[in-house]
Amino acid sequence: DAKTTQPPSMDCAEGRAANLPCNHSTISGNEYVYWYRQIHSQGPQYIIHGLKNNETNEMASLIITEDRKSSTLILPHATLRDTAVYYCIVTETSYDKVIFGPGTSLSVIP
Amino acid sequence: GAGVSQSPSNKVTEKGKDVELRCDPISGHTALYWYRQSLGQGLEFLIYFQGNSAPDKSGLPSDRFSAERTGGSVSTLTIQRTQQEDSAVYLCASSPVLVSAKNIQYFGAGTRLSVL
């Protein structure tokens, strides 16, 4: 079973920030939070990952709560091309079996 | 190649036939993963390789499924005596290093398998 829970779907207006939540209340100290997204008919694409500090790259920002039991992926200015299923995954760096949950289907609306 | 390559991109087969799916990982990537994605569903982990060895095969759905990797590069996923429930997209991913803070997986476009 996946170690994370995410809302099944969300909408976001084009140009606005998309905030995608993820709960991982059983996360252990050496587990990282990874985010991937899957655009229709494509393979998943890595977005960002973090351990306990907030992270930012050219695609998104990752905010992890102090207790590390939840996190939020932020797409600062959503575009129509950001419409995809977003997966939040918790895994150790040496963990072999990577479990993807059902993810959040994000629809960016014009 | 620039990315993970999977072939064929589409495969239609008859129930009971064997199929072989191929994955060419990014050059130098030591870890390789196979997943299955049924229509409208999330990704189901099947197996991973570290080099040529597969430490955990428990994700394979049945003994009709097998996978191998040779030379630490190309991997093949074989499904024997295919059934209609095997119809899905089979995704392959590779990662540069398994034990690392950057265990980022790079995915191929997948093979869409249809069993008639």
Side-chain angles (χ1 to χ4, degrees):
Chain A
D1 291 337
K3 297 182 179 182
T4 62
T5 56
Q6 300 175 251
S9 63
M10 293 181 62
D11 292 339
C12 178
E14 187 179 18
R16 303 297 293 270
N19 298 286
L20 292 93
C22 179
N23 287 322
H24 31 81
S25 59
T26 61
I27 192 170
S28 64
N30 56 349
E31 288 183 314
Y32 285 71
V33 180
Y34 287 78
W35 283 82
Y36 288 79
R37 74 179 182 183
Q38 186 174 25
I39 295 170
H40 183 62
S41 298
Q42 298 181 21
Q45 174 192 26
Y46 165 81
I47 301 173
I48 198 168
H49 77 287
L51 182 62
K52 54 184 177 181
N53 296 323
N54 297 337
E55 302 288 344
T56 296
N57 63 20
E58 65 279 4
M59 290 183 69
S61 294
L62 174 61
I63 307 298
I64 303 174
T65 58
E66 191 169 346
D67 63 8
R68 302 210 319 125
K69 293 185 177 182
S70 65
S71 61
T72 301
L73 179 74
I74 300 173
L75 309 178
H77 306 287
T79 70
L80 299 179
R81 289 175 294 179
D82 292 323
T83 292
V85 177
Y86 288 77
Y87 298 100
C88 170
I89 299 155
V90 163
T91 182
E92 295 180 35
T93 58
S94 60
Y95 198 57
D96 51 7
K97 185 175 291 185
V98 180
I99 307 298
F100 282 75
T104 295
S105 178
L106 175 69
S107 297
V108 179
I109 302 167
Chain B
V4 177
S5 177
Q6 292 187 246
S7 60
S9 55
N10 285 283
K11 176 70 176 179
V12 180
T13 190
E14 293 179 349
K15 178 182 174 181
K17 295 287 181 71
D18 298 351
V19 295
E20 200 170 87
L21 313 180
R22 177 187 169 104
C23 173
D24 280 277
I26 294 172
S27 178
H29 281 195
T30 57
L32 186 147
Y33 300 79
W34 282 100
Y35 297 86
R36 178 170 71 172
Q37 188 171 34
S38 300
L39 186 64
Q41 302 299 310
L43 279 73
E44 175 188 4
F45 171 86
L46 298 179
I47 190 171
Y48 94 102
F49 289 89
Q50 171 66 346
N52 290 336
S53 65
D56 184 355
K57 301 181 180 180
S58 62
L60 295 176
S62 75
D63 58 8
R64 297 186 294 104
F65 288 72
S66 63
E68 65 175 15
R69 188 180 187 195
T70 55
S73 181
V74 172
S75 176
T76 55
L77 177 69
T78 301
I79 309 173
Q80 297 178 309
R81 305 180 302 282
T82 52
Q83 304 294 313
Q84 288 183 330
E85 61 263 29
D86 299 334
S87 297
V89 175
Y90 290 81
L91 290 158
C92 174
S94 70
S95 181
V97 181
L98 186 62
V99 184
S100 166
K102 282 190 175 291
N103 184 17
I104 297 167
Q105 297 185 40
Y106 298 83
F107 283 81
T111 293
R112 182 176 300 276
L113 175 66
S114 300
V115 182
L116 304 179

